[in-house]
Amino acid sequence: MIGGTVGGTTEVLVAVAALADLPLLADALGRFFQPRTFARIVVEGLGKAAVYFILAVGLTLVFGLMGVLNFAHGAMAMLGAYLGGVLMVLALSGGAGPFTTIAFFFVVAAVVFALLTAVGGAIEVGLVRPIYDRTPMYQILLTFGVALILEELTRIVATLHGVQPEPQWRAPMGTIPSALAARYDILGANIRGLYLFEIVLGLLVATAVWLFLTRTLYGLYIRAGSEDPEMVEALGIDVRKAFTVVFGLGTGLAGLGGVLLMWDPLWGPSVLLNIDVLLYAFVIVIIGGLGSFKGTLVAAVVVGVADSFTTWLFTTGIVPNPGLPAVTIFLLLVLVLVVRPQGIFGVEEVGGH
Amino acid sequence: MSLLELEDVHTYYGESHVLQGVTLEVESEEIVALIGRNGVGKTTTLRSILQLTPPRRGTVRFRGEDVTGRSTHEVAGMGVGWVPEERRMFGYLTVEENLRVSVPPDADFEARRAYVYDLFPDLERFRDKEARNLSGGQQQMLALSRGMVGDNDLLLVDEPSEGLAPMIVEQVVEALREASAETTMVLVEQNFPLAMDLADRFYLLDHGVVVESGSTEGVSADDERIRRYLSA
């Protein structure tokens, strides 16, 4: 406690000193208004947003339709990261060209997505279905229990194979193709190719989910079920089956997000992903509005850009505190909860839940 | 064989024993009204038929088949439609999407849509509007349409005139007559004259049991046997 206070005081002093360092501040401000700074904040922000969106969208779909807060969502992303990492490392141990690597990434992503969709469907049928009639506390305890079990199992399996379960298993990062590891000049800013790749993937996933929800009959049933599952059932549609499908797809999307994290130096396969991903996914769906697809998309962009802006503030030394991005994101969460508790696009009550 | 039979149906909400042995029959092509004061179990009877609140005792038979304890979507799939109290629109879906959900996937959506748009031109006009932005009357028309576009042999209609202006009620009554030409109907209605006017037969419920029943012909609210149960 005392150490914390002293540390805190030191940080404040450093911050004050930095703020007092006017030439530095003026320099930083000058740089902020340059196109390359702007490009960097926006492109990196959108890259982060894409990752956040993929990690959060499954959570919001499941809550929207079923009213279930899936606390095992982060664990599914963790499994996705490890599974993706194992597959990539095994397949590319002999080395491969950039195109083969990227093609293989998509194959691995599809495999992990399919596998985790099946796992999610099985969890819904076997574990969640028997407790729909109980209070949400049961669902929270159950899914959180699943998350803890998966985290510990992963820790055991990783350790048995001589892999450090935390902070990160770095081998999969070695499989990133040079084209994505390289930096590209955008309006004078040096931007890692991975961010651009993440933006493309985020757009692909958002479009696919949006088309599924708005252009297919099953998507229509899901949207109707999000409002009033009992009414949908009374129209002759098996809502329970839709629950299984959506829980499966939500889980699969978390796994897909995990695969993407495998190459990201800020994340990487680690048992810490269980809680970290869960936190970020919850922050995004709460800011966007629980159950809202559009809200999740907008919140992911807001959080992603805020994250990249505060990261820039830190790396330029304007605010010398590495915790700034995380603090800002949680401040955003608090702000939304105070000003608009249902989230940006949330309705007061979702689906009668 | 009656289209619908309820035999000694007992339904509970938690500990509350709402239906205490309801027995009734509905023949094909008739309109049967369920009447009675608030809270006597009219809506619960409809919910018990659809297995939304499954009975704990007794049997519900549809076309001679025991459907007690089946899932709601199966019963609905056999041809039982529901026009619930307070309409229960999918408010964030458009009028057209509300209809699309209600038409079985293998049926001809265009034809069924045209049928209700013909009946309710307002719905066609607002086809791309979200249902929550419709007026109460338009919502009731959409609720009825949702029941009418399905493959339903039996329509359970709950309080269709509730909260509507008299002019709109007339339109709804017209639609109900139109619908009844195609399907059998069980109608829960607080408006006694309207119920008697539309229905062929009635069942009067009190405290979860049927206390009176018969043809609606010549029945008025002044009848001693009716008044006793309807006045508060």
Side-chain angles (χ1 to χ4, degrees):
Chain A
M1 207 49 225
I2 293 169
T5 314
V6 171
T9 316
T10 317
E11 281 171 13
V12 170
L13 285 176
V14 170
V16 170
L19 284 173
D21 196 348
L22 282 175
L24 178 68
L25 182 65
D27 174 50
L29 277 175
R31 271 185 287 158
F32 177 67
F33 289 105
Q34 285 170 3
R36 66 190 167 107
T37 307
F38 191 72
R40 178 174 160 188
I41 289 172
V42 169
V43 177
E44 291 192 1
L46 290 178
K48 288 171 194 280
V51 174
Y52 294 156
F53 173 77
I54 299 174
L55 289 173
V57 67
L59 191 66
T60 210
L61 285 180
V62 167
F63 182 81
L65 178 65
M66 306 153 72
V68 171
L69 287 172
N70 179 14
F71 274 68
H73 197 76
M76 298 304 165
M78 173 194 73
L79 286 185
Y82 274 106
L83 282 173
V86 167
L87 291 174
M88 289 301 283
V89 169
L90 284 180
L92 301 173
S93 54
F99 287 110
T100 321
T101 309
I102 289 183
F104 203 77
F105 172 87
F106 280 102
V107 174
V108 166
V111 168
V112 171
F113 175 74
L115 209 62
L116 284 181
T117 299
V119 169
I123 289 178
E124 194 277 336
V125 172
L127 298 175
V128 185
R129 183 169 286 192
I131 56 165
Y132 280 128
D133 298 335
R134 312 249 183 122
T135 59
M137 190 48 80
Y138 282 86
Q139 298 151 8
I140 291 169
L141 287 174
L142 176 94
T143 52
F144 198 59
V146 169
L148 291 178
I149 291 169
L150 289 176
E151 180 181 322
E152 286 313 311
L153 282 178
T154 308
R155 193 186 297 274
I156 291 167
V157 172
T159 313
L160 281 178
H161 285 82
V163 169
Q164 280 291 327
E166 55 185 275
Q168 286 148 333
W169 175 36
R170 303 201 68 88
M173 282 175 215
T175 65
I176 189 169
S178 52
L180 301 189
R183 291 177 175 275
Y184 296 88
D185 187 308
I186 298 175
L187 296 173
N190 266 330
I191 290 166
R192 248 173 92 91
L194 182 63
Y195 283 113
L196 301 173
F197 184 65
E198 286 171 345
I199 293 174
V200 171
L201 267 188
L203 284 175
L204 278 177
V205 171
T207 310
V209 173
W210 184 78
L211 286 176
F212 171 67
L213 286 176
T214 59
R215 294 286 186 272
T216 68
L217 194 55
Y218 214 76
L220 181 62
Y221 293 163
I222 288 167
R223 284 188 294 139
S226 300
E227 288 196 48
D228 191 342
E230 187 180 80
M231 190 66 226
V232 172
E233 182 83 10
L235 290 170
I237 297 153
D238 187 353
V239 165
R240 290 276 160 116
K241 206 159 79 188
F243 282 13
T244 309
V245 169
V246 167
F247 202 90
L249 289 178
T251 305
L253 284 166
L256 185 66
V259 175
L260 195 51
L261 295 183
M262 155 191 88
W263 277 345
D264 198 320
L266 298 173
W267 302 79
S270 155
V271 294
L272 302 175
L273 288 181
N274 177 23
I275 300 300
D276 287 351
V277 168
L278 188 66
L279 268 179
Y280 273 87
F282 262 106
V283 166
I284 291 188
V285 297
I286 291 170
I287 290 180
L290 273 165
S292 164
F293 170 81
K294 209 172 14 170
T296 303
L297 192 61
V298 171
V301 171
V302 169
V303 171
V305 173
D307 187 344
S308 97
F309 172 63
T310 47
T311 302
W312 176 81
L313 283 180
F314 166 66
T315 48
T316 48
I318 298 173
V319 181
N321 188 329
L324 182 69
V327 168
T328 308
I329 287 162
F330 285 101
L331 278 178
L332 272 175
L333 173 71
V334 171
L335 185 76
V336 166
L337 283 176
V338 169
V339 177
R340 197 175 156 79
Q342 71 270 39
I344 303 174
F345 284 98
V347 284
E348 301 274 345
E349 201 181 344
V350 181
H353 301 300
Chain B
M1 181 184 73
S2 305
L3 183 67
L4 175 74
E5 295 161 86
L6 273 70
E7 200 181 305
D8 193 31
V9 166
H10 290 257
T11 304
Y12 293 71
Y13 286 120
E15 291 302 301
S16 167
H17 191 175
V18 183
L19 298 191
Q20 309 190 357
V22 168
T23 298
L24 58 82
E25 287 182 9
V26 177
E27 304 296 331
S28 273
E29 293 175 20
E30 63 175 353
I31 304 186
V32 171
L34 295 184
I35 54 175
R37 275 191 294 255
N38 271 333
V40 296
K42 304 186 296 291
T43 296
T44 307
T45 304
L46 300 190
R47 293 183 62 89
S48 299
I49 295 168
L50 265 171
Q51 307 299 314
L52 286 161
T53 312
R56 276 196 214 166
R57 269 199 288 143
T59 20
V60 177
R61 273 188 290 271
F62 183 64
R63 282 203 218 100
E65 207 174 316
D66 185 354
V67 298
T68 329
R70 296 256 196 107
S71 53
T72 296
H73 72 91
E74 281 179 71
V75 182
M78 288 171 74
V80 182
W82 188 38
V83 182
E85 210 177 356
E86 287 157 6
R87 295 141 209 165
R88 306 271 292 263
M89 297 290 86
F90 302 117
Y92 288 85
L93 303 191
T94 64
V95 167
E96 187 133 325
E97 285 173 332
N98 267 278
L99 295 176
R100 190 71 194 88
V101 178
S102 320
V103 174
D106 49 1
D108 181 357
F109 175 60
E110 310 289 320
R112 308 232 173 156
R113 182 182 58 182
Y115 167 60
V116 292
Y117 281 170
D118 192 41
L119 210 56
F120 303 113
D122 262 11
L123 292 185
E124 181 163 25
R125 198 140 50 92
F126 299 125
R127 59 200 283 174
D128 294 324
K129 210 166 164 176
E130 286 183 359
R132 66 198 166 111
N133 297 325
L134 298 178
S135 72
Q138 290 159 349
Q139 286 192 359
Q140 187 60 63
M141 288 164 204
L142 183 53
L144 269 174
S145 301
R146 232 172 26 180
M148 290 165 77
V149 294
D151 287 329
N152 296 321
D153 296 327
L154 172 67
L155 213 48
L156 309 174
V157 185
D158 202 347
E159 303 282 5
S161 74
E162 198 184 27
L164 298 182
M167 238 179 69
I168 308 291
V169 171
E170 260 175 56
Q171 217 177 337
V172 168
V173 168
E174 269 321 296
L176 287 172
R177 281 193 212 285
E178 169 82 24
S180 70
E182 311 263 328
T183 65
T184 309
M185 208 178 278
V186 175
L187 175 70
V188 169
E189 181 54 67
Q190 286 285 344
N191 182 333
F192 182 78
L194 194 152
M196 291 303 107
D197 180 31
L198 269 170
D200 306 302
R201 286 193 306 122
F202 75 93
Y203 286 93
L204 174 59
L205 266 69
D206 197 54
H207 290 103
V209 288
V210 172
V211 287
E212 285 287 345
S213 65
S215 163
T216 54
E217 197 123 344
V219 175
S220 88
D222 297 331
D223 264 288
E224 183 48 35
R225 55 181 188 146
I226 304 283
R227 206 173 54 187
R228 195 147 54 104
Y229 292 109
L230 284 188
S231 54

